[in-house]
Amino acid sequence: MASSANALRLGLRTCSRQTQTSSLRIATIQRRALSATATRCEGVPVPKRDNDVKLEFTRPYTPGEFLSEKLRSDDLEDSEREVYERALTSWNQTPDDLKRSWGTMIRDIEQAAQPLRRVVMPKKQTFWYEEEKDTDLITNEEGEDDFQENDIMSLGHGKLEEHREYREYARIAVWEMPLLSKYAKPFVPPTSEEVLRFRYTTYMGEFHPADRKVVVEFCPKDLRDLTEVQQRKLMKLAGPRYNPEKDIIKMSCEKFEHQAQNKRYIGDLIKKMIVAAKDPTDTFEDIPLDTRHHTFTKKIFFPKEWLLTQERKKELEAARQQALLKDAEKVVKGALVDGADVVKQYLESGAAEAMHAVPAMAGRGGKSLPGGKGGKMQRSKR
């Protein structure tokens, strides 16, 4: 890798050498950058004025020197000259200690700006200048992302943010929500003319693509101005949006950006459906109502025979009394079997240990083996 890098560096150095030109001097044409002055040809005299005074800002100027140089120029108007003269008079009246402090400040500025004027020469020994420091950085960004054990982890910050959100909503519930009571209105149930039931979706002030959706439900039988034939035609026009089990037409819209636009579109669509249902040219009587899109759920009802009536309760109580009497007679005769006594007798007889005997390994000569290929299974003698 080092040899290839040296070869590339030598090749770049060879390409960067200047070619030796002949002794003939060729006039080079320099292209100027964007300039506001007009281009002049060589040899054309440029008119100059002797009274042109230009300030060369090679060093910081004091206010007195700056104002004096400005007043020597003839390009100033009378109003500007008056302003400069008043400023120069005010500077001349300034105490000497303030002027000395101004000079001290200028020297400090020169010393602070001296490193910025120094030309930084690239190191020729480095490859692609990778070892040089970036002088454009205001702060040193190296090691800023390292965890210095002086802060909590990101999970802790997330928990704190969640706690702040809870406190914010708690403050709203305590201080702002009670103020909304003065805007409360009593509930008024819808009248028989208000048959459309709209449903909206909101996400508590947050933007969500589903909050534009508007759903409407209505029953065709609530439209009093439609006859029975027109109502059935309206059901057929609704198609799969009609629920024959609940007798409700359900429609929704979310094609527009705002809820008001979607609600207006659904309202206009329902009006068109009602106008089409009232059209007497075709009543759709020859077309049956298609309900294949809906799956009917079978409702299971509790049988009436299973209900506990007073007579049934008396019968059950009489059967329980008879069972208790029979158990009492068996106790007297000793024929009633007690399960706890039976288990206790079984354990005391030793039959359980015999049934659950552990097999042992036996070898030659009747010696027991820990187990292996030559061992034989043998039940222990009872």
Side-chain angles (χ1 to χ4, degrees), residues 162-188:
E162 184 180 357
H163 186 66
R164 294 189 193 99
E165 188 175 1
Y166 289 159
R167 290 174 61 88
E168 181 183 0
Y169 282 112
R171 285 192 294 268
I172 292 174
V174 173
W175 301 105
E176 298 184 14
M177 285 295 185
L179 300 177
L180 300 177
S181 59
K182 58 184 178 182
Y183 300 105
K185 297 181 181 179
F187 173 72
V188 179

Side-chain angles (χ1 to χ4, degrees), residues 217-220 242-249 294 296 299:
E217 295 180 354
F218 66 95
C219 180
Y242 174 67
N243 188 348
E245 194 171 358
K246 298 181 180 179
D247 195 18
I248 288 177
I249 296 176
H294 182 75
F296 290 87
K299 295 181 180 180

Side-chain angles (χ1 to χ4, degrees), residues 218-223 226-251 270 273-278 282-285 287-294:
F218 66 95
C219 180
K221 294 182 180 179
D222 293 340
L223 301 174
L226 297 181
T227 60
E228 186 176 355
V229 177
Q230 293 174 352
Q231 290 177 3
R232 290 189 62 83
K233 183 179 179 181
L234 183 62
M235 299 174 190
K236 297 172 185 177
L237 290 174
R241 297 169 182 83
Y242 174 67
N243 188 348
E245 194 171 358
K246 298 181 180 179
D247 195 18
I248 288 177
I249 296 176
K250 183 178 179 180
M251 304 171 63
I270 293 174
M273 292 175 62
I274 293 175
V275 171
K278 291 181 179 180
D282 190 0
T283 58
F284 292 179
E285 287 292 331
I287 301 176
L289 182 62
D290 190 5
T291 58
R292 291 175 297 177
H293 60 276
H294 182 75

Side-chain angles (χ1 to χ4, degrees), residues 3-14:
S3 60
S4 59
N6 289 331
L8 179 60
R9 181 170 58 83
L10 293 174
L12 293 174
R13 180 182 295 180
T14 305

Side-chain angles (χ1 to χ4, degrees), residues 311-368:
E311 297 177 356
R312 180 61 179 168
K313 290 180 181 179
K314 292 179 181 180
E315 292 178 1
L316 294 175
E317 188 64 28
R320 293 192 189 98
Q321 293 296 332
Q322 292 179 4
L324 291 174
L325 291 175
K326 290 181 180 180
D327 292 342
E329 293 177 358
K330 290 181 180 180
V331 170
V332 173
K333 295 179 180 179
L336 187 64
V337 179
D338 191 355
D341 294 339
V342 173
V343 173
K344 185 177 181 180
Q345 293 176 5
Y346 175 77
L347 294 175
E348 291 177 353
S349 62
E353 296 179 359
M355 290 296 294
H356 299 283
V358 179
M361 305 295 295
R364 295 180 181 179
K367 295 182 179 180
S368 61

Side-chain angles (χ1 to χ4, degrees), residues 126-176:
T126 59
F127 187 68
W128 286 338
Y129 309 127
E130 57 185 2
E131 298 178 0
E132 293 184 1
K133 295 183 179 180
D134 193 354
T135 57
D136 296 335
L137 292 178
I138 300 176
T139 59
N140 188 13
E141 298 179 355
E142 296 180 0
E144 287 188 354
D145 297 335
D146 298 340
F147 187 65
Q148 303 296 336
E149 302 294 340
N150 56 357
D151 195 4
I152 61 177
M153 307 296 272
S154 59
L155 293 176
H157 281 289
K159 201 66 179 178
L160 288 176
E161 186 64 27
E162 184 180 357
H163 186 66
R164 294 189 193 99
E165 188 175 1
Y166 289 159
R167 290 174 61 88
E168 181 183 0
Y169 282 112
R171 285 192 294 268
I172 292 174
V174 173
W175 301 105
E176 298 184 14

